[in-house]
Amino acid sequence: MDLGIAGKWALVCAASKGLGKGCAAALVGEGVNVVITARGEAALLATAAELRALNPAVQVLTVAGDITTIAGRVAALAACPRVDILVNNAGGPPPGDFRDWDREAWIKAVDANMLTPIELIKAVVDGMAERGFGRIVNITSGAVKAPIDILGLSNGARSGLTGFVAGLARQAKLASRNVTINNLLPGAYDTDRLKATLSGAAAKTGQPLEAVAEARRQQSPARRFGSAEEFGATCAFLCSAHAGFIVGQNLLSDGGAYPGTF
Ligand code: NAP
């Protein structure tokens, strides 16, 4: 299927590795020019080279910086000639017990996983409406639907974003102008972040890493982790010309791990 977005420009945040990289690769495969960001320059440049090899016909630009800072967002937006597609992403907050989190920890989580995407949406959404095309996908987490005890900072901050987006996406001045905003909720995906989480659990319990990983795989009916490539393909479809009637949704991609009917 031709997704009908060749020649568009996408800003894909936090995209040198993992899910962000998967999204950038899928968009590049569809002929979309991309600006990708991450803090570490070496991995960012290596990913840009991979993306250019994937599709030499598109432009791949890089902005090294922290997307959760004003300077990082200004630089990312300035590099993108026109934001037709915005993929919001950043690292997730650390796990822990809420008794140990002070105001500073909460502000950091809310800043990164709620206010950063909102600021970026604010910067691009009216231009999208004027041009009659816009796709915004926020990478959130399955924890928005089924909270994970030790990820309270993530549960809270991402739920705040989800509630805000539910209202904004339904503004007629956006939806009637072919501008969609949706959230994509990953379950367990095979990325560096998941490896770090599993290694932490293995160290804490004294179990072998592979045993911890296998137990986690068994938690989903798919009995496997998702791949960044399949996550990216789902994101690219939400960004496609065909997805203009999908508005304000929370799409869970978790191999069936969430047990609810809805
Ligand atoms: P990952 O493999 O660790 O990749 C994270 C990417 O984001 C890297 O490119 C990293 O590069 C970049 N990044 C992190 N913080 C950044 C910042 N402040 N500014 C700019 N770039 C930043 O992580 P992932 O698994 O793809 O996870 C992506 C998001 O999905 C996270 O919020 C995570 O919590 C969420 N999530 C993941 C899973 C999963 O199973 N993988 C499940 C649920 C939710 P630098 O470090 O160089 O900046």
Side-chain angles (χ1 to χ4, degrees):
M1 182 195 271
D2 177 358
L3 296 189
I5 46 176
K8 303 283 189 199
W9 273 95
L11 171 56
V12 187
C13 305
S16 66
K17 298 177 188 167
L19 304 180
K21 179 179 174 181
C23 295
L27 290 169
V28 161
E30 288 298 319
V32 175
N33 305 297
V34 295
V35 174
I36 57 170
T37 86
R39 292 163 303 180
E41 193 162 32
L44 185 64
L45 295 180
T47 292
E50 278 182 48
L51 296 179
R52 288 184 193 112
L54 201 64
N55 187 353
V58 305
Q59 293 193 58
V60 177
L61 307 179
T62 59
V63 177
D66 185 339
I67 201 68
T68 69
T69 65
I70 294 173
R73 290 191 290 275
V74 167
L77 289 165
C80 201
R82 189 183 72 236
V83 183
D84 302 310
I85 294 167
L86 169 65
V87 179
N88 274 316
N89 186 29
D97 185 320
F98 97 101
R99 292 164 189 81
D100 300 325
W101 297 328
D102 56 13
R103 181 176 165 76
E104 194 63 20
W106 275 107
I107 297 292
K108 212 171 160 200
V110 169
D111 230 356
N113 297 107
M114 179 180 173
L115 300 181
T116 290
I118 290 173
E119 288 290 337
L120 287 167
I121 291 169
K122 184 176 162 189
V124 303
V125 80
D126 291 327
M128 289 174 167
E130 270 165 37
R131 295 190 299 275
F133 180 91
R135 298 285 183 265
I136 299 176
V137 175
N138 304 305
I139 299 179
T140 63
S141 172
V144 172
K145 270 183 86 93
I148 300 168
D149 177 25
I150 56 165
L151 292 180
L153 290 169
S154 172
N155 300 338
R158 296 188 201 277
S159 294
L161 174 67
T162 303
F164 169 75
V165 163
L168 181 69
R170 290 171 172 83
Q171 284 190 355
K173 65 178 148 190
L174 301 179
S176 75
R177 294 290 303 151
N178 194 20
V179 176
T180 70
I181 313 177
N182 293 289
N183 303 315
L184 192 45
L185 285 56
Y189 275 82
D190 192 7
T191 66
D192 283 2
R193 179 173 165 93
L194 183 72
K195 285 185 188 93
T197 313
L198 295 174
S199 300
K204 209 170 164 185
T205 59
Q207 284 182 283
L209 176 58
E210 184 41 38
V212 175
E214 186 52 26
R216 187 71 197 275
R217 282 188 206 101
Q218 294 300 319
Q219 285 175 10
S220 101
R223 300 285 192 262
R224 67 176 178 88
F225 298 135
S227 74
E229 290 73 22
E230 60 194 339
F231 188 86
T234 308
C235 176
F237 180 75
L238 285 177
C239 296
S240 76
H242 313 296
F245 212 51
I246 302 177
V247 171
Q249 297 302 301
N250 289 283
L251 180 60
L252 182 62
S253 177
D254 69 347
Y258 176 72
T261 304
F262 301 105

